[in-house]
């Protein structure tokens, strides 16, 4: 519970653009984010600027969306979607969590969360985020309640979740091993305050989770933030837990697309997935292309080539680092 609680309460992202409706909640399947260090979310309101620069990738996380199984629907009643996030950190530790939701008539609510150690069931009162589309200035507070179970302790919880579209402006993202972005964004903020009850004891602990999601105003796929953060504070005296945790993530890439995918303003790849030859297009000369597997092992490196033969590689997922005259993607 202590090591993974920060991701158990992670709220997925929505898409929108400055001074325009936030159209949807979920984005494209198989989305990869770089896990990065501390940033400053302090600016708020209209026409502001966030500079998330000098970042360093400390691992990666991947989102996958699916329809819940019959067993999952029984456990989390009413669920129509489940998003699984797999995180792999540079120290080779991993984390997995699932978020369940439903969205009748575009009114999206959380129905449950399961990270393998802690299960939250919003079965008494779902966590309503809002009815989409949402506009800048949107503010909604909803009561939440249900049951929790971490394998050792179980009980009930209650509290509130507040969802706001509280800011728009310009976001600048850059750093080592991080996909560079500079452009207009809209920010979605959620604050969840939960009180935990155990047996006859009420309010044995509290959890406060604040999330920020920044969405580009370009033609970026709806539901994929350019940057997202989860800030979690947990206090459970009964279990001697008193901690604060943060996970910041910058968009990296979309995997397994059926069309060429543009990673940045000057680099794209096709096809993806690929069988024999990977074609790379760049507005500036390519210096080198390096492919690594999911363990970080380099499996192929080519110099100054836009057409990479990969048919000899084993079937699986790989990451490409493309070095050009204008930088690394």
């Amino acid at each position: 519970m202590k090591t993974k609680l920060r991701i158990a309460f992670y709220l997925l992202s929505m898409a929108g653009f400055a001074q325009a409706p936030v159209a949807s909640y979920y984005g494209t399947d198989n989305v990869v984010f770089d896990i990065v260090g501390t940033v400053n979310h302090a600016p708020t309101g209209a026409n502001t600027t966030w500079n998330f620069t000098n970042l360093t990738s400390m691992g990666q996380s991947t989102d996958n969306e699916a329809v819940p199984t019959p067993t999952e629907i029984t456990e989390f009643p009413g669920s129509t979607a489940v998003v699984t996030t797999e995180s792999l950190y540079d120290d080779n530790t991993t984390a997995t969590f699932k978020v369940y939701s439903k969205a009748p008539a575009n009114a999206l609510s959380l129905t449950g969360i399961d990270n393998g150690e802690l299960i939250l069931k919003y079965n008494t009162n779902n966590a309503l985020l809002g009815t989409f589309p949402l506009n800048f200035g949107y503010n909604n507070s909803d009561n939440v309640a249900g049951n929790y179970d971490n394998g050792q302790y179980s009980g009930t919880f209650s509290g509130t979740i507040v969802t706001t579209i509280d800011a728009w402006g310009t976001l600048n993202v850059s750093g080592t091993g991080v996909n560079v972005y500079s452009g207009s964004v809209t920010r979605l903020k959620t604050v969840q305050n939960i009180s935990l009850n155990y047996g006859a004891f009420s309010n044995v602990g509290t959890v406060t989770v604040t999330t920020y999601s920044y969405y580009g105003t370009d033609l970026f796929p709806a539901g994929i933030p350019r940057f997202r953060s989860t800030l979690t504070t947990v206090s459970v005296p009964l279990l001697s837990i008193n901690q604060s945790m943060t996970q910041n993530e910058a968009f990296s890439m979309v995997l397994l697309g059926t069309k060429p995918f543009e990673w940045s303003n000057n680099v794209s790849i096709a096809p993806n997935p690929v069988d024999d030859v990977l074609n790379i297009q760049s507005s500036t000369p390519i210096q080198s292309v390096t492919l690594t597997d999911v363990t970080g092992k380099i499996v192929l490196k080519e110099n100054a080539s836009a057409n990479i033969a990969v048919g000899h590689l084993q079937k699986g997922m790989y990451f490409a680092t493309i070095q050009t005259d204008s930088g690394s993607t």
Side-chain angles (χ1 to χ4, degrees), residues 7-14 25-26 75-83 97-104 106-114 120-132 140 142-147 157 160-163 188 190-194 209 211:
I7 61 175
F9 289 88
Y10 170 68
L11 299 180
L12 298 179
S13 311
M14 289 173 269
Y25 183 79
Y26 293 118
E75 189 170 8
F76 304 99
S79 299
T80 58
V82 54
V83 175
F97 71 94
K98 298 181 178 182
V99 177
Y100 298 85
S101 65
K102 64 180 182 181
N106 294 326
L108 191 137
S109 299
L110 299 181
T111 56
I113 295 174
D114 182 357
L120 290 176
K121 300 178 182 180
Y122 296 84
N123 48 11
T124 302
N125 195 340
N126 295 159
L128 175 67
L129 299 186
T131 301
F132 296 87
N140 181 71
D142 188 52
N143 293 324
V144 301
N147 298 86
F157 68 88
T160 61
I161 182 169
V162 178
T163 304
L188 170 73
T190 66
V191 180
Q192 186 170 186
N193 289 296
I194 287 179
V209 184
T211 69

Side-chain angles (χ1 to χ4, degrees), residues 43 53 79 197 201 257-258 284 298 320:
T53 56
S79 299
N197 307 309
F201 302 97
T258 57
T284 56
I298 296 177

Side-chain angles (χ1 to χ4, degrees), residues 67-178:
V67 176
T69 65
T71 300
E72 289 174 320
I73 294 175
T74 299
E75 189 170 8
F76 304 99
S79 299
T80 58
V82 54
V83 175
T84 301
T85 300
E86 303 277 355
S87 294
L88 173 63
Y89 303 92
D90 285 349
D91 61 3
N92 290 323
T93 58
T94 61
T96 301
F97 71 94
K98 298 181 178 182
V99 177
Y100 298 85
S101 65
K102 64 180 182 181
N106 294 326
L108 191 137
S109 299
L110 299 181
T111 56
I113 295 174
D114 182 357
N115 77 340
E117 292 187 352
L118 177 68
I119 298 175
L120 290 176
K121 300 178 182 180
Y122 296 84
N123 48 11
T124 302
N125 195 340
N126 295 159
L128 175 67
L129 299 186
T131 301
F132 296 87
L134 305 177
N135 293 283
F136 171 67
Y138 173 80
N139 189 314
N140 181 71
S141 178
D142 188 52
N143 293 324
V144 301
N147 298 86
Y148 72 89
D149 188 343
N150 77 330
Q152 184 177 5
Y153 299 96
S154 61
T156 62
F157 68 88
S158 61
T160 61
I161 182 169
V162 178
T163 304
T164 59
I165 301 179
D166 72 330
W168 64 271
T170 301
L171 173 66
N172 300 304
V173 178
S174 64
T176 303
V178 177

Side-chain angles (χ1 to χ4, degrees), residues 183-202:
S184 299
V185 294
T186 290
R187 184 170 79 181
L188 170 73
K189 179 181 179 181
T190 66
V191 180
Q192 186 170 186
N193 289 296
I194 287 179
S195 176
L196 305 176
N197 307 309
Y198 178 66
F201 302 97
S202 62

Side-chain angles (χ1 to χ4, degrees), residues 287-304:
Q287 297 178 359
S288 66
V289 178
T290 303
L291 296 186
T292 59
D293 62 19
V294 293
T295 69
K297 178 183 177 181
I298 296 177
V299 297
L300 185 151
K301 185 170 184 178
E302 295 279 352
N303 294 323

Side-chain angles (χ1 to χ4, degrees), residues 202-222:
S202 62
N203 194 22
V204 297
T206 59
V207 179
T208 301
V209 184
T210 303
T211 69
Y212 296 93
S213 299
Y214 298 79
Y215 310 92
T217 64
D218 51 16
L219 297 179
F220 202 58

